mmCIF file of all heavy atoms in Angstrom:
data_model
loop_
_atom_site.group_PDB
_atom_site.id
_atom_site.type_symbol
_atom_site.label_atom_id
_atom_site.label_comp_id
_atom_site.label_asym_id
_atom_site.label_seq_id
_atom_site.Cartn_x
_atom_site.Cartn_y
_atom_site.Cartn_z
ATOM 1 N N LEU E 108 -0.913 -7.052 12.280
ATOM 2 C CA LEU E 108 0.108 -6.176 11.734
ATOM 3 C C LEU E 108 0.733 -6.707 10.452
ATOM 4 O O LEU E 108 0.960 -5.968 9.524
ATOM 5 C CB LEU E 108 1.143 -5.847 12.757
ATOM 6 C CG LEU E 108 2.216 -4.817 12.382
ATOM 7 C CD1 LEU E 108 1.542 -3.412 12.144
ATOM 8 C CD2 LEU E 108 3.184 -4.653 13.464
ATOM 9 N N SER E 109 0.997 -8.019 10.423
ATOM 10 C CA SER E 109 1.574 -8.658 9.263
ATOM 11 C C SER E 109 0.599 -8.534 8.037
ATOM 12 O O SER E 109 1.016 -8.273 6.921
ATOM 13 C CB SER E 109 1.971 -10.072 9.473
ATOM 14 O OG SER E 109 0.844 -10.906 9.696
ATOM 15 N N LYS E 110 -0.658 -8.657 8.283
ATOM 16 C CA LYS E 110 -1.658 -8.518 7.173
ATOM 17 C C LYS E 110 -1.676 -7.125 6.782
ATOM 18 O O LYS E 110 -1.607 -6.805 5.511
ATOM 19 C CB LYS E 110 -3.058 -8.922 7.658
ATOM 20 C CG LYS E 110 -3.214 -10.405 7.968
ATOM 21 C CD LYS E 110 -4.683 -10.751 8.139
ATOM 22 C CE LYS E 110 -4.870 -11.595 9.330
ATOM 23 N NZ LYS E 110 -6.304 -11.855 9.594
ATOM 24 N N PHE E 111 -1.750 -6.171 7.681
ATOM 25 C CA PHE E 111 -1.818 -4.740 7.373
ATOM 26 C C PHE E 111 -0.598 -4.377 6.595
ATOM 27 O O PHE E 111 -0.647 -3.563 5.685
ATOM 28 C CB PHE E 111 -1.936 -3.873 8.649
ATOM 29 C CG PHE E 111 -2.059 -2.404 8.341
ATOM 30 C CD1 PHE E 111 -3.199 -1.869 8.002
ATOM 31 C CD2 PHE E 111 -0.913 -1.623 8.499
ATOM 32 C CE1 PHE E 111 -3.300 -0.462 7.676
ATOM 33 C CE2 PHE E 111 -0.920 -0.175 8.216
ATOM 34 C CZ PHE E 111 -2.093 0.290 7.821
ATOM 35 N N GLY E 112 0.603 -4.882 7.046
ATOM 36 C CA GLY E 112 1.915 -4.506 6.392
ATOM 37 C C GLY E 112 1.816 -5.059 4.918
ATOM 38 O O GLY E 112 2.335 -4.238 3.978
ATOM 39 N N LEU E 113 1.393 -6.263 4.726
ATOM 40 C CA LEU E 113 1.407 -6.808 3.344
ATOM 41 C C LEU E 113 0.427 -5.988 2.489
ATOM 42 O O LEU E 113 0.782 -5.672 1.315
ATOM 43 C CB LEU E 113 0.929 -8.253 3.364
ATOM 44 C CG LEU E 113 0.892 -8.934 1.993
ATOM 45 C CD1 LEU E 113 2.127 -8.876 1.236
ATOM 46 C CD2 LEU E 113 0.400 -10.419 2.127
ATOM 47 N N ILE E 114 -0.728 -5.625 3.004
ATOM 48 C CA ILE E 114 -1.620 -4.772 2.282
ATOM 49 C C ILE E 114 -1.056 -3.473 2.011
ATOM 50 O O ILE E 114 -1.153 -2.831 0.957
ATOM 51 C CB ILE E 114 -2.956 -4.655 3.046
ATOM 52 C CG1 ILE E 114 -3.757 -6.008 3.066
ATOM 53 C CG2 ILE E 114 -3.920 -3.588 2.350
ATOM 54 C CD1 ILE E 114 -4.823 -6.050 4.094
ATOM 55 N N GLY E 115 -0.305 -2.961 3.039
ATOM 56 C CA GLY E 115 0.411 -1.634 2.846
ATOM 57 C C GLY E 115 1.397 -1.671 1.757
ATOM 58 O O GLY E 115 1.483 -0.752 0.928
ATOM 59 N N VAL E 116 2.158 -2.816 1.629
ATOM 60 C CA VAL E 116 3.166 -2.893 0.541
ATOM 61 C C VAL E 116 2.437 -2.980 -0.835
ATOM 62 O O VAL E 116 2.797 -2.355 -1.749
ATOM 63 C CB VAL E 116 4.047 -4.157 0.739
ATOM 64 C CG1 VAL E 116 4.902 -4.431 -0.484
ATOM 65 C CG2 VAL E 116 4.886 -3.956 1.990
ATOM 66 N N ALA E 117 1.254 -3.761 -0.814
ATOM 67 C CA ALA E 117 0.474 -3.837 -2.107
ATOM 68 C C ALA E 117 -0.008 -2.444 -2.494
ATOM 69 O O ALA E 117 -0.010 -2.011 -3.636
ATOM 70 C CB ALA E 117 -0.604 -4.841 -1.948
ATOM 71 N N ASN E 118 -0.544 -1.730 -1.543
ATOM 72 C CA ASN E 118 -1.019 -0.341 -1.816
ATOM 73 C C ASN E 118 0.102 0.575 -2.183
ATOM 74 O O ASN E 118 -0.116 1.385 -3.142
ATOM 75 C CB ASN E 118 -1.676 0.253 -0.463
ATOM 76 C CG ASN E 118 -2.971 -0.470 -0.134
ATOM 77 O OD1 ASN E 118 -3.635 -1.068 -0.967
ATOM 78 N ND2 ASN E 118 -3.265 -0.409 1.134
ATOM 79 N N THR E 119 1.255 0.459 -1.656
ATOM 80 C CA THR E 119 2.334 1.262 -2.068
ATOM 81 C C THR E 119 2.674 0.934 -3.531
ATOM 82 O O THR E 119 2.977 1.902 -4.301
ATOM 83 C CB THR E 119 3.592 0.993 -1.159
ATOM 84 O OG1 THR E 119 3.213 1.373 0.199
ATOM 85 C CG2 THR E 119 4.790 1.873 -1.513
ATOM 86 N N VAL E 120 2.742 -0.323 -3.849
ATOM 87 C CA VAL E 120 3.126 -0.757 -5.241
ATOM 88 C C VAL E 120 1.987 -0.250 -6.248
ATOM 89 O O VAL E 120 2.288 0.200 -7.288
ATOM 90 C CB VAL E 120 3.294 -2.206 -5.273
ATOM 91 C CG1 VAL E 120 3.495 -2.691 -6.744
ATOM 92 C CG2 VAL E 120 4.572 -2.542 -4.541
ATOM 93 N N ILE E 121 0.724 -0.345 -5.830
ATOM 94 C CA ILE E 121 -0.357 0.209 -6.657
ATOM 95 C C ILE E 121 -0.193 1.689 -6.857
ATOM 96 O O ILE E 121 -0.274 2.213 -7.924
ATOM 97 C CB ILE E 121 -1.738 -0.143 -6.080
ATOM 98 C CG1 ILE E 121 -2.053 -1.616 -6.138
ATOM 99 C CG2 ILE E 121 -2.832 0.720 -6.675
ATOM 100 C CD1 ILE E 121 -3.254 -2.073 -5.394
ATOM 101 N N ASP E 122 0.084 2.408 -5.772
ATOM 102 C CA ASP E 122 0.283 3.831 -5.714
ATOM 103 C C ASP E 122 1.401 4.188 -6.702
ATOM 104 O O ASP E 122 1.201 4.954 -7.635
ATOM 105 C CB ASP E 122 0.554 4.312 -4.350
ATOM 106 C CG ASP E 122 0.890 5.731 -4.223
ATOM 107 O OD1 ASP E 122 0.751 6.510 -5.241
ATOM 108 O OD2 ASP E 122 1.241 6.197 -3.088
ATOM 109 N N LEU E 123 2.552 3.545 -6.433
ATOM 110 C CA LEU E 123 3.708 3.855 -7.313
ATOM 111 C C LEU E 123 3.650 3.403 -8.646
ATOM 112 O O LEU E 123 4.199 3.979 -9.604
ATOM 113 C CB LEU E 123 5.060 3.338 -6.634
ATOM 114 C CG LEU E 123 5.413 4.045 -5.305
ATOM 115 C CD1 LEU E 123 6.730 3.383 -4.732
ATOM 116 C CD2 LEU E 123 5.695 5.544 -5.613
ATOM 117 N N GLY E 124 2.925 2.225 -8.930
ATOM 118 C CA GLY E 124 2.745 1.648 -10.222
ATOM 119 C C GLY E 124 1.976 2.563 -11.153
ATOM 120 O O GLY E 124 2.304 2.915 -12.178
ATOM 121 N N ILE E 125 0.799 3.120 -10.519
ATOM 122 C CA ILE E 125 -0.004 3.947 -11.327
ATOM 123 C C ILE E 125 0.686 5.381 -11.602
ATOM 124 O O ILE E 125 0.708 6.005 -12.642
ATOM 125 C CB ILE E 125 -1.390 4.143 -10.676
ATOM 126 C CG1 ILE E 125 -2.178 2.789 -10.776
ATOM 127 C CG2 ILE E 125 -2.156 5.287 -11.356
ATOM 128 C CD1 ILE E 125 -3.387 2.768 -9.980
ATOM 129 N N TYR E 126 1.356 5.795 -10.513
ATOM 130 C CA TYR E 126 2.104 7.089 -10.559
ATOM 131 C C TYR E 126 3.208 6.942 -11.720
ATOM 132 O O TYR E 126 3.306 7.904 -12.508
ATOM 133 C CB TYR E 126 2.788 7.251 -9.130
ATOM 134 C CG TYR E 126 3.710 8.442 -8.906
ATOM 135 C CD1 TYR E 126 3.173 9.728 -9.068
ATOM 136 C CD2 TYR E 126 5.037 8.234 -8.629
ATOM 137 C CE1 TYR E 126 4.041 10.822 -8.767
ATOM 138 C CE2 TYR E 126 5.826 9.328 -8.324
ATOM 139 C CZ TYR E 126 5.344 10.603 -8.418
ATOM 140 O OH TYR E 126 6.176 11.642 -8.130
ATOM 141 N N ASN E 127 3.910 5.808 -11.727
ATOM 142 C CA ASN E 127 4.949 5.707 -12.768
ATOM 143 C C ASN E 127 4.291 5.490 -14.146
ATOM 144 O O ASN E 127 4.901 5.934 -15.122
ATOM 145 C CB ASN E 127 5.747 4.405 -12.442
ATOM 146 C CG ASN E 127 6.898 4.766 -11.552
ATOM 147 O OD1 ASN E 127 7.949 5.379 -12.068
ATOM 148 N ND2 ASN E 127 6.859 4.469 -10.362
#
Side-chain angles (χ1 to χ4, degrees):
L108 185 62
S109 68
K110 292 188 225 179
F111 181 82
L113 179 57
I114 294 165
V116 171
N118 290 334
T119 301
V120 172
I121 287 169
D122 176 9
L123 291 177
I125 293 172
Y126 179 64
N127 272 282

